[in-house]
Amino acid sequence: MITEIQGSWSLVLGVSSGFGRAVARALAERGGNVIGVHFDTADGAEAAAKFADELRETGVSAHFFNLNAASTSTRREVVGQAVELAGDKGVRILLHSLAFGSLLPFAPSQDGPQDQETVNSRQLAMTLDVMANSLVYWTQDLLAAGLLRRGAKIYGMTSAGSTQVLDSYGPVSAAKAALEAHLRQLAAELAPRGIAANALRAGTTLTPALEKIPHSAAYAEVCRARNPHKRLTEPEDVAEAIVLLSMSDSSWLTGNVIGIDGGEILTA
């Protein structure tokens, strides 16, 4: 059965930039209401507030929370507000697009300085908790509140880095692999409820998160050249896919890692 986005409610974790921002805009353009969580200071917080205003100008409701999405207190506050806002409609789409983790090597370079920094246990645990485990906790709390119902969709943003090695990407690579495993488990456990859960593997995209990776500019140019479309993935490509995937109540498409990369990985 085809379901309209108009009038639905979505929860976007990481709403202020990159994929989260593009998805929120695409949903609002189709009449979907958005609850967003972001973690910004100063100029970033001001830009997020302006973005929420832009969404409201389309005629939808947009409620943003500038809070740490990995915090228990944040989940408690936002889920409580979602109960008040979404009412009987529940949350149609949960998007996990959090890019906050450590970009440090596991071992020092043989040719590097003696005091070269490597990832420590706290940084590794934080990266896994924010970029992977937090999706499980949000899902649990939304289920407990009765907000995830038959036809709901859960998406987590992964990358080809879950199976590839990039400089200093080890902690994030581990988090992406864990995220995919979490989504497979959620897909199996939530199938009887008619709720779908999938990982979305976006192609190389020029987002703030990519820019933090060492040598990302050179890597992006290699990916651009090998993509059959001769361009990089854009956040709007992912947003369009989420809208299309979310217009069905079916939960039969679940437990997958869905590539949204224009064929980039075909020539890797």
Side-chain angles (χ1 to χ4, degrees):
M1 182 176 126
I2 301 299
T3 300
E4 291 293 332
I5 298 295
Q6 185 171 2
S8 66
W9 284 88
S10 297
L11 173 57
V12 179
L13 307 177
V15 73
S16 62
S17 65
F19 300 116
R21 183 184 181 94
V23 170
R25 186 184 299 280
L27 294 171
E29 288 174 349
R30 290 158 180 80
N33 305 304
V34 179
I35 300 169
V37 180
H38 63 101
F39 200 31
D40 292 292
T41 59
D43 292 345
E46 183 178 349
K50 289 181 179 178
F51 178 51
D53 288 339
E54 290 175 21
L55 298 186
R56 295 185 194 104
E57 289 173 2
T58 68
V60 304
S61 293
H63 299 263
F64 285 10
F65 298 84
N66 189 11
L67 299 168
N68 177 8
S71 165
T72 300
S73 61
T74 295
R75 293 198 309 276
R76 185 178 301 117
E77 178 178 347
V78 174
V79 171
Q81 287 294 310
V83 170
E84 296 295 323
L85 293 167
D88 294 335
K89 292 187 175 182
V91 171
R92 173 76 179 178
I93 297 167
L94 168 61
L95 172 64
H96 185 281
S97 182
L98 300 178
F100 184 80
S102 179
L103 289 167
L104 289 169
F106 287 171
S109 171
Q110 199 168 23
D111 302 322
Q114 292 288 337
D115 59 349
Q116 183 179 357
E117 186 180 6
T118 56
V119 70
N120 60 38
S121 60
R122 179 187 61 80
Q123 293 165 330
L124 189 57
M126 176 273 294
T127 302
L128 285 165
D129 203 48
V130 174
M131 298 187 70
N133 300 343
S134 62
L135 172 63
V136 177
Y137 309 144
W138 277 98
T139 301
Q140 289 173 333
D141 286 0
L142 289 169
L143 285 169
L147 288 169
L148 290 179
R149 303 164 189 173
R150 185 167 297 276
K153 314 294 179 187
I154 301 171
Y155 302 107
M157 295 306 306
T158 187
S159 73
S162 66
T163 58
Q164 296 177 352
V165 175
L166 300 173
D167 288 347
S168 301
Y169 197 72
V172 177
S173 178
K176 294 298 188 183
L179 180 69
E180 292 175 12
H182 291 342
L183 283 158
R184 287 192 294 271
Q185 189 69 29
L186 286 170
E189 294 187 11
L190 298 180
R193 301 173 186 246
I195 299 171
N198 290 286
L200 303 180
R201 191 196 66 238
T204 303
T205 311
L206 296 179
T207 63
L210 178 70
E211 293 172 358
K212 295 178 182 177
I213 301 173
H215 315 301
S216 61
Y219 176 76
E221 286 310 306
V222 170
C223 293
R224 186 196 308 274
R226 76 179 183 218
N227 194 304
H229 288 77
K230 300 306 176 186
R231 70 169 176 86
L232 296 177
T233 301
E234 297 176 355
E236 290 74 19
D237 296 319
V238 173
E240 180 181 22
I242 286 179
V243 168
L244 292 173
L245 290 169
S246 302
M247 292 180 66
S248 169
D249 281 339
S250 173
S251 59
W252 212 248
L253 179 62
T254 194
N256 301 285
V257 177
I258 302 172
I260 309 172
D261 65 359
E264 176 186 319
I265 203 170
L266 299 177
T267 56

